[in-house]
């Protein structure tokens, strides 16, 4: 499930469709910790807000999950980790790394007149974002991460370009309700390579957004998909996952953050 050329992946696009129903990736004590690439990486460790066991260090990546209607869950894993693909065929977009200013800039609301369905400029941007996402072995991407400061995010919670029916495009999304129940997972982000940390998020959320035709979408997501959505939505709010780390978690990654700041040079925004 590595990088795909633009022409091959492009034949799977269904950019005019509404987002699909949520699919939750459950967690099992029998499974090893995993790293699920998006711009989002998650280690399978679920716990209550009152107790967080020691971080698991072995990382793996989710390949597939069954439908909840099957009554039991199964997952296949790969040792592939998220990668920086460099040049991606079919697009000039690149994932930007911290502290690039685009990650902290205000993201513009996309006007209705730009949402005319497949073939419109926003759909072309979304298509190229999927190309970059799949090339990184990822499951999600927000527009500011590729230098486009618009309220646009995409994801496929399977990370598999062959499962194009799982592709979701959200225009001008907003989270209108968060569950009181929380859980903690280890997250990372391609904009923050070679680091991760524990992040607490709501177990379920209710969202509103628009599709590429401007039609309003209302959804409720839970579990894995809720976390993917929250991570990518944070980018549209100028929030990155390190902002949600505990003081201890931030202290652990600070040396790597200092390296990234040094590599970027002048003009970065912390």
């Amino acid at each position: 499930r590595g990088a795909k050329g633009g022409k091959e992946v492009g034949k799977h696009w269904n950019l005019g469709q509404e987002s699909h129903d949520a699919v939750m990736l459950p967690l099992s004590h029998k499974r090893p910790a995993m790293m699920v690439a998006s711009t989002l990486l998650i280690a399978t460790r679920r716990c209550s807000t009152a107790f967080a066991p020691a971080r698991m260090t072995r990382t793996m990546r989710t390949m597939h999950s069954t439908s909840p209607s099957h009554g039991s869950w199964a997952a296949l894993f790969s040792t592939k980790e998220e990668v920086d693909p460099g040049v991606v065929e079919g697009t000039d977009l690149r994932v930007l790394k911290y502290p690039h200013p685009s990650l902290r800039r205000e993201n513009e609301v996309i006007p209705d007149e730009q949402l005319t369905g497949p073939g419109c400029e926003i759909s072309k941007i979304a298509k190229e974002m999927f190309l970059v996402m799949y090339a990184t072995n990822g499951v999600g991407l927000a527009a500011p991460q590729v230098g486009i400061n618009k309220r646009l995010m995409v994801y496929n919670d399977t990370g598999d370009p062959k499962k194009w029916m799982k592709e979701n495009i959200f225009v001008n999304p907003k989270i209108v309700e968060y569950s009181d129940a929380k859980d903690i997972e280890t997250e990372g982000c391609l904009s923050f390579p070679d680091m991760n940390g524990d992040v607490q998020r709501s177990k379920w959320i209710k969202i509103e957004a628009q599709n590429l035709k401007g039609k309003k979408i209302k959804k409720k997501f839970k579990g894995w998909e809720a976390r993917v959505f929250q991570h990518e939505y944070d980018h549209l709010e100028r929030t990155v996952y390190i902002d949600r780390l505990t003081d201890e978690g931030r202290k652990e990654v600070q040396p790597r953050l200092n390296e990234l700041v040094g590599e970027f040079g002048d003009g970065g925004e912390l």
Side-chain angles (χ1 to χ4, degrees):
R1 201 169 30 140
K4 295 282 188 181
K7 178 178 279 187
E8 180 180 350
V9 175
K11 66 186 179 183
H12 297 303
W13 301 131
N14 189 359
L15 296 174
Q17 68 186 30
E18 298 180 27
S19 62
H20 302 291
D21 291 336
V23 171
M24 180 177 70
L25 179 67
L27 303 167
S28 168
H29 67 282
K30 296 181 180 179
R31 285 160 49 183
M34 67 181 178
M35 179 167 69
V36 182
S38 78
T39 51
L40 173 65
L41 313 175
I42 299 223
T44 38
R45 183 174 54 65
R46 171 138 324 162
C47 57
S48 69
T49 57
F51 174 71
R55 179 177 298 120
M56 300 179 183
T57 57
R58 183 183 177 191
T59 57
M60 301 190 77
R61 176 167 171 254
T62 298
M63 297 287 289
H64 172 70
S65 64
T66 63
S67 167
S69 62
H70 291 173
S72 63
W73 296 86
L76 302 176
F77 300 92
S78 167
T79 55
K80 286 184 178 179
E81 295 184 358
E82 190 173 69
V83 298
D84 182 349
V87 176
V88 178
E89 183 179 349
T91 181
D92 292 327
L93 299 181
R94 304 289 180 270
V95 176
L96 304 178
K97 295 181 177 62
Y98 179 84
H100 196 287
S102 180
L103 299 174
R104 295 297 194 181
R105 287 179 183 147
E106 192 77 29
N107 294 293
E108 299 176 357
V109 172
I110 299 171
D112 290 347
E113 53 266 29
Q114 293 184 19
L115 301 176
T116 57
C120 69
E121 184 61 27
I122 299 302
S123 76
K124 293 176 182 177
I125 293 173
K127 177 178 178 177
E128 293 188 29
M129 287 172 63
F130 272 120
L131 289 175
V132 174
M133 187 195 82
Y134 289 130
T136 64
N137 294 331
V139 299
L141 193 63
Q145 289 185 276
V146 291
I148 299 173
N149 288 108
K150 296 182 181 294
R151 297 188 69 81
L152 173 67
M153 56 181 274
V154 305
Y155 69 80
N156 175 341
D157 63 357
T158 71
D160 187 347
K162 295 180 180 179
K163 299 185 186 305
W164 55 270
M165 288 295 290
K166 294 293 294 176
E167 288 172 356
N168 293 271
I169 300 170
F170 293 101
V171 180
N172 301 327
K174 58 183 178 180
I175 299 176
V176 297
E177 186 175 351
Y178 294 84
S179 69
D180 291 332
K182 314 285 186 182
D183 61 11
I184 297 173
E185 304 281 1
T186 300
E187 292 186 13
C189 179
L190 190 65
S191 294
F192 295 82
D194 304 318
M195 54 180 284
N196 55 46
D198 295 344
V199 178
Q200 177 180 277
R201 296 194 187 274
S202 292
K203 290 187 175 182
W204 61 258
I205 54 173
K206 291 182 180 180
I207 69 99
E208 295 178 1
Q210 292 172 276
N211 65 11
L212 291 173
K213 296 180 179 180
K215 183 177 179 181
K216 292 184 178 180
I217 301 168
K218 293 184 178 182
K219 294 284 184 180
K220 179 179 179 178
F221 296 131
K222 58 184 180 179
W224 164 244
E225 193 163 8
R227 181 168 287 269
V228 173
F229 191 102
Q230 288 173 83
H231 180 104
E232 302 305 334
Y233 178 78
D234 268 358
H235 281 293
L236 304 185
E237 296 293 301
R238 300 187 295 173
T239 298
V240 289
Y241 92 97
I242 61 169
D243 300 335
R244 297 190 178 277
L245 298 179
T246 63
D247 290 343
E248 181 182 355
R250 182 61 179 256
K251 184 177 180 180
E252 290 179 1
V253 301
Q254 193 60 51
R256 177 56 181 150
L257 290 175
N258 294 340
E259 290 178 357
L260 291 172
V261 170
E263 292 168 4
F264 186 85
D266 296 335
E269 188 170 348
L270 307 182

